[in-house]
Amino acid sequence: MSQRNQIKKSKPAQNPAEATQASVATTSSVDLKANLDELLDEIDEVLESNAEDFVKSYIQKGGQ
Amino acid sequence: MVVPKICGIETEYGIVHTGVECPDHALAASLLINAYIATAIRSGNEGPVPGVSWDFEDEMPGNDVRGVCVAHSMAPRVEPHLVNSVLTNGSRYYVDHAHPELSTPECSNALDVVLYDKAAEQIMIRSMAAAADILAPHEELIVYKNNSDGKGHSYGCHENYLMSRNTPFSDIVVHATAHLVTRQIFTGSGKVGVEASGLSAADVPFQITQRADFFEEEVGLETTLRRPIINTRDEPHADMRAYRRLHVITGDANMSEVATFLKVGSTAIVLAMVEDEVLPKQHRFAAPVQAMRQVSYDLSLTKPLEMFDGTTATALEIQWDFLDQARKYANTHGLENVGGEVVTTHVIDRWEQVLTLLETNPTSLADQLDWVAKLRLLQGLADRHGLSLDDSRLRALDIQYHDLRPNKSVAARAGLQTLVSPRSAQAAIANPPRDTRAYFRGECLRRWADNIVSANWDSLVFDLGEGRVRRVPLYEPTKGTAALVEGLLQECESASELLQRLANIG
C-alpha cells in the first residue's frame, strides 16, 4: 500500500502531461452524464423488441 | 534477453442465423466467410485472395511447452475441412469450433493490433452485408464480438506474444498469472450475471469480465475444457530454437479500442520485463483461479486477494506495481523491442491514467473501458424503466452491446474514445503491417495469388506449374518487412523471378 502511494505521489511531478490527460477525461465524463438520456433514447429504439425471446434464442456452441 | 514483442489477436465471434428452423453454427460461419470472399472477388477489392487456403503442414496445437502430453489433456482439433482463407492484409479468416474467427496479422505494437482488430470488425460488417445478398429475404447472419452466450458457452479472444525460448517457462507462469488476473480491471467487457457453477445472478448480478467464469486450472494445454490461466501450447509458428509464442486465452474481446490497446500493450511490457529479469517482486496468489473470479466479481475494486505468502493485495495494487516497474524499465532498457518508444510510452501513460481513475472515479471511464460503459447503460436503462435485476431487457442490452451491425450496435453508440481512424482501419482491410513478416505474406498474395497454393504463419507455398510446389519458409517474424523486401518485390515481374532471386540470396 505504501509503495503504491509513493508511486502516485511521484508521478504528477514527473509527468505533467498526465494531469492534463486526466482532466480531459474528467470533463468528458460530465458530457457522458449529460448524454446518457439521449443515449438511452437511442438504445430504447434499437434494442430487440422481444427481449425475452431474443435472450433465450441467443445460444452459441462452446469454442476455445 | 528481450525479443521483439511481435503480437496479434485471434477472435472467435458469436454468430446467429435468423429465419431458419434449426440453425447450424458451423454452416452459418462458413456461409458468412464464403459470402465475403465471393463478394470481394466480384467487386475486385483487394481483401481476400481467391483459391489460397491455409496450409496445415506445421500445425501442432497438441505440443505442450512442458515437453509431455498429459494423457487426459485435450488438444484442440485441427479442422482442415472447414473454410480457411488468407487475406492480403496478412490475416487469416476461418471457421473454428462453429464460430467465424479472424486472426490479425503479426503486429509490432499494440496500436497496430488495435488497427487490425478494427479492420477485422469491418470485415465482419462487410461479411454480414455480403451474406444478406445471398440469403432469403427473411434470413440474416448476425455477428457478435463477445465471449459468452450467458448460458455457459464461451468462445475466446486470444492474444499471442513472441517470446524468447531462453526464458524459463516458470518465470512466465508466475508473472503472467499475476498480470492476467489483475489486468481484468481494465480488460473486462462486462457481463450480466454469472456462469460459474454454484452461483446465481443473485450472487453476482454483474461482473467485470465475460471470461473469468470459464477458467478452472492454473496451467495447462486445453483451450475448450478446463481452461487454464496459462496455456502451454508450444507452437511458436517461428524458429523453435529461438522463440516461444505465449498464447494468452484469458482475455475478453473488447469493443473499446482503449481496452484492446491497454490489454496488449501492458501485457507486452510485462512479458518483456520477464525476459529481461527486472521484476523484483513475485505476486503469487494463494489460489489463482479463485483470484481470477474474485477480481471479476468485485466492482468496488477494493477486496484484497490472498497471496501465497499470507499477505493480501488488491488487483489495483498489483497493477500499480507492474506500472511502476514498466516506467523504470522504459528508462533503463528503452522500448525499442516492445512496440517502440512512441506507442509504448503512450501505453504506459494511458495505463497510469486508467489506474488512477479506476481508483478515484471509475464511472468517468465510461468512454474508455467496456465494463464501465456497459454498466452505466445497464443502470441507466434499469433506472429509466424500473427494471429488476433479472429483467430480460438488461441481458438483451448486454448481448447487443457486442452486436457488430452498425444499425444495432450499442457499443458503437456508447461514445467510446477511438485511437485509430475509420479510414486507416479501412486501408488495413487490404494492406499488411509493414514491419513484420506479414508484409511479405500479404504482398505476395496481392501480387501472385495465382501462383500460391497455400499459406500459413511461417511459410508460403508456391506452384509455378513446373510439377512440384516450392515452400518459402518465414521462420523469422521480424523479417520479410517492407524495409527488407519492398524493393525486391517491386523489382520482380513474376513469382518465378521472386523465387529465383530468393534462391540466389540463399
Side-chain angles (χ1 to χ4, degrees), chain B residues 6 10 59-61 65 103 158-165 169 172 231-238 243-248 271 437 457:
Chain B
I6 308 281
E10 40 187 286
E59 300 272 309
M60 305 169 293
V65 72
S103 296
H158 298 176
E159 302 138 64
N160 296 296
Y161 301 91
L162 190 70
M163 293 200 70
S164 164
R165 189 157 284 274
F169 197 71
I172 300 173
N231 183 252
T232 53
R233 185 184 299 180
D234 191 11
E235 196 185 16
H237 297 311
Y243 299 120
R244 299 179 191 286
R245 169 180 63 118
L246 186 66
H247 186 228
V248 172
L271 296 176
R437 69 180 170 194
W457 300 117

Side-chain angles (χ1 to χ4, degrees), chain B residues 5-241:
Chain B
K5 282 290 145 286
I6 308 281
C7 49
I9 282 188
E10 40 187 286
T11 306
E12 286 182 318
Y13 295 84
I15 185 158
V16 167
H17 189 170
T18 61
V20 289
E21 278 292 303
C22 303
D24 175 322
H25 291 86
L27 187 65
S30 299
L31 252 171
L32 182 85
I33 299 170
N34 282 329
Y36 175 72
I37 291 170
T39 302
I41 292 171
R42 262 205 315 278
S43 68
N45 282 354
E46 291 188 286
V49 175
V52 176
S53 61
W54 196 255
D55 171 16
F56 291 94
E57 176 80 18
D58 294 331
E59 300 272 309
M60 305 169 293
N63 273 18
D64 192 307
V65 72
R66 295 165 295 185
V68 289
C69 218
V70 186
H72 57 264
S73 136
M74 189 100 120
R77 293 165 297 145
V78 172
E79 301 167 303
H81 56 289
L82 295 173
V83 180
N84 239 299
S85 56
V86 197
L87 311 187
T88 55
N89 73 358
S91 64
R92 177 188 177 197
Y93 189 17
Y94 55 117
V95 180
D96 197 10
H97 297 275
H99 295 271
E101 175 160 348
L102 198 143
S103 296
T104 68
E106 304 90 328
C107 297
S108 70
N109 65 80
L111 193 59
D112 278 358
V113 173
V114 173
L115 179 68
Y116 283 93
D117 188 50
K118 281 293 136 180
E121 285 181 17
Q122 290 302 318
I123 289 169
M124 294 300 150
I125 291 169
R126 290 187 184 186
S127 299
M128 287 189 280
D133 290 341
I134 296 171
L135 294 171
H138 64 281
E139 292 179 45
E140 189 176 13
L141 290 182
I142 309 167
V143 178
Y144 295 85
K145 191 187 185 191
N146 59 5
N147 305 102
S148 151
D149 65 358
K151 300 169 184 71
H153 307 116
S154 184
Y155 31 101
C157 174
H158 298 176
E159 302 138 64
N160 296 296
Y161 301 91
L162 190 70
M163 293 200 70
S164 164
R165 189 157 284 274
N166 292 330
T167 300
F169 197 71
S170 54
D171 290 0
I172 300 173
V173 170
V174 61
H175 295 296
T177 300
H179 183 57
L180 297 180
V181 167
T182 56
R183 71 173 193 172
Q184 292 183 97
I185 58 178
F186 53 81
T187 63
S189 287
K191 182 168 74 178
V192 171
V194 61
E195 293 167 277
S197 60
L199 292 170
S200 72
D203 305 305
V204 185
F206 179 83
Q207 59 178 303
I208 291 174
T209 75
Q210 299 249 312
R211 282 283 270 184
D213 285 334
F214 301 99
F215 287 83
E216 299 173 49
E217 306 274 348
E218 294 171 26
V219 180
L221 186 60
E222 288 87 355
T223 51
T224 57
L225 296 163
R226 298 191 303 278
R227 294 183 185 87
I229 296 170
I230 301 294
N231 183 252
T232 53
R233 185 184 299 180
D234 191 11
E235 196 185 16
H237 297 311
D239 181 353
M240 198 137 188
R241 293 160 304 175

Side-chain angles (χ1 to χ4, degrees), chain B residues 434-435 439 480-487:
Chain B
R434 295 174 58 82
D435 55 359
Y439 181 80
T481 60
L484 291 172
V485 303
E486 187 171 31

Side-chain angles (χ1 to χ4, degrees), chain A residues 48 50-58, chain B residues 144 395-396 399-400:
Chain A
E48 295 290 340
N50 190 337
E52 199 173 338
D53 281 357
F54 168 64
V55 170
K56 261 191 207 150
S57 67
Y58 187 79
Chain B
Y144 295 85
R395 286 187 180 274
I399 298 168
Q400 221 177 311

